[in-house]
Amino acid sequence: MEHLAFSLNSVIPVFMVMGIGFYLGRHSILTGDFVGQATSLVFYTALPAKLFLDVSRSNFSDCLDVGFTAYLLLCTCAAFAGAWILCVFLVRDRTAVSAVVHSAFRGNFVYLGLPICQSILGRESIPSTIMVVTFVLPFYNVLATIVLSYYDPSGRKVSWKRMLKDILTNPMIVAILAALPFSLLGIRLPSVAEKSLSYLGQMSTPMALILIGAGIRPSSFAGRGTWIGFGAIYKVVVTPLVFAVPMQWMGFSTEQIVTAFVMFAVPSAMNVYIVTKKMGGDGELGAAIITVSMLLSAVTLPVGIWVMKSLGVI
């Protein structure tokens, strides 16, 4: 019972805040315009401030674990390839394949994974999560561009130059790169600057969760239930079982196992819809998979945490 309470206490508060956002969105207390503007605020200001502080305060040399990072990248490749292979046989509509594949491997780690990891491990700065944000998240963009360009109805080819530019100008990546000299050289920010960034960073998690809830649209997953179910189950059930479970016998630390589990078990990323739509894919199908994966993860995440707690992993 104690383990179940721990798992629920780690995850339920996150989904409760999302539920508040959903209520506010459904009753138009938070309008679409506000959600869009607030999302930009979090994406361009609050979240980069939090990441900058986390990296600058940490010792990046100690955070960097080549084996752990390589494992996550290889597993991400495997999850991507597996989803694509299965979709070729399962999804008969060629225009829908890219949306299902994109939703099945790309998780919402920044907005959901980080607060859940912090809740489970009981601290704000977690070195292994910095590795995910620094290396895995940009890799998501590479894989997404490949599959979306392959199925692009306009026939446009992959623009590696544009993709590299998008990665390097991503506010999260910019914040991490800007913070690296402070981390590597042990430079401390002036207290005024650190406190200002701290105020912004503290806003990122609750605001992001409210905005995710406000952006949920249940009507978006009407029809095409098999494809939607496959994408959601593959994301929040299959990938954590296949890639996170074996880690406890491979010598990884508790922190790394928790981070990997959460990375694979979180629902599909909200920007799956934006990127898929922008590149000519079926954005509405992506939005449907995002919604269902969120509903499923409200069950699978607490269960996974309960199992890890019961087995003594955490």
Side-chain angles (χ1 to χ4, degrees):
M1 199 67 183
E2 178 186 348
H3 299 331
L4 179 60
F6 175 84
S7 63
L8 292 175
N9 288 334
S10 299
V11 177
I12 295 303
V14 172
F15 285 96
M16 287 184 67
V17 177
M18 286 174 54
I20 293 172
F22 177 72
Y23 174 85
L24 295 175
R26 290 288 288 176
H27 289 78
S28 299
I29 298 173
L30 299 182
T31 64
D33 288 340
F34 173 83
V35 171
Q37 293 169 351
T39 299
S40 296
L41 173 65
V42 172
F43 184 73
Y44 288 105
T45 305
L47 190 58
K50 173 178 171 50
L51 293 175
F52 182 92
L53 276 183
D54 285 348
V55 175
S56 65
R57 288 170 172 173
S58 66
N59 188 326
F60 192 80
S61 300
D62 293 339
C63 293
L64 181 60
D65 188 312
V66 176
F68 173 66
T69 305
Y71 180 80
L72 293 184
L73 292 175
L74 287 173
C75 289
T76 300
C77 279
F80 170 74
W84 197 341
I85 292 170
L86 291 172
C87 282
V88 169
F89 296 100
L90 179 65
V91 182
R92 300 302 179 185
D93 184 352
R94 191 177 187 276
T95 61
V97 172
S98 61
V100 178
V101 175
H102 194 189
S103 304
F105 82 88
R106 186 172 193 158
N108 197 348
F109 185 80
V110 171
Y111 295 119
L112 278 179
L114 285 176
I116 291 174
C117 286
Q118 291 166 357
S119 179
I120 296 172
L121 297 172
R123 58 183 189 272
E124 286 291 321
S125 182
I126 304 171
S128 57
T129 62
I130 295 173
M131 295 300 98
V132 174
V133 175
T134 304
F135 297 103
V136 179
L137 266 57
F139 193 49
Y140 282 162
N141 291 329
V142 175
L143 297 178
T145 300
I146 291 172
V147 69
L148 290 167
S149 298
Y150 184 83
Y151 290 101
D152 190 343
S154 67
R156 290 178 298 180
K157 296 182 179 180
V158 175
S159 173
W160 299 103
K161 183 177 180 181
R162 184 177 67 247
M163 182 174 63
L164 181 61
K165 179 183 176 183
D166 290 343
I167 293 172
L168 293 178
T169 56
N170 184 295
M172 291 177 288
I173 304 303
V174 171
I176 291 170
L177 292 177
L180 282 179
F182 293 87
S183 174
L184 295 172
L185 300 176
I187 302 172
R188 290 299 301 269
L189 288 171
S191 59
V192 173
E194 187 167 311
K195 199 162 188 177
S196 299
L197 289 172
S198 179
Y199 287 149
L200 290 172
Q202 289 169 9
M203 176 179 66
S204 63
T205 297
M207 181 66 77
L209 295 177
I210 288 174
L211 294 174
I212 290 172
I216 294 175
R217 295 291 180 268
S219 60
S220 64
F221 54 88
R224 299 184 288 185
T226 301
W227 304 345
I228 295 169
F230 165 77
I233 292 172
Y234 186 91
K235 178 66 195 72
V236 303
V237 178
V238 175
T239 57
L241 284 175
V242 172
F243 302 119
V245 170
M247 292 179 69
Q248 63 177 318
W249 299 290
M250 298 172 67
F252 291 103
S253 68
T254 295
E255 176 190 302
Q256 292 171 337
I257 294 173
V258 168
T259 299
F261 166 75
V262 172
M263 187 192 94
F264 290 115
V266 290
S268 304
M270 296 301 291
N271 58 359
V272 164
Y273 169 78
I274 298 171
V275 176
T276 301
K277 192 78 172 176
K278 184 178 179 181
M279 296 190 65
D282 192 335
E284 286 67 31
L285 178 59
I289 297 173
I290 292 168
T291 303
V292 174
S293 68
M294 280 189 175
L295 296 173
L296 284 177
S297 67
V299 176
T300 57
L301 274 167
V303 168
I305 297 168
W306 172 71
V307 170
M308 288 192 293
K309 186 73 173 175
S310 300
L311 294 176
V313 177
I314 54 177

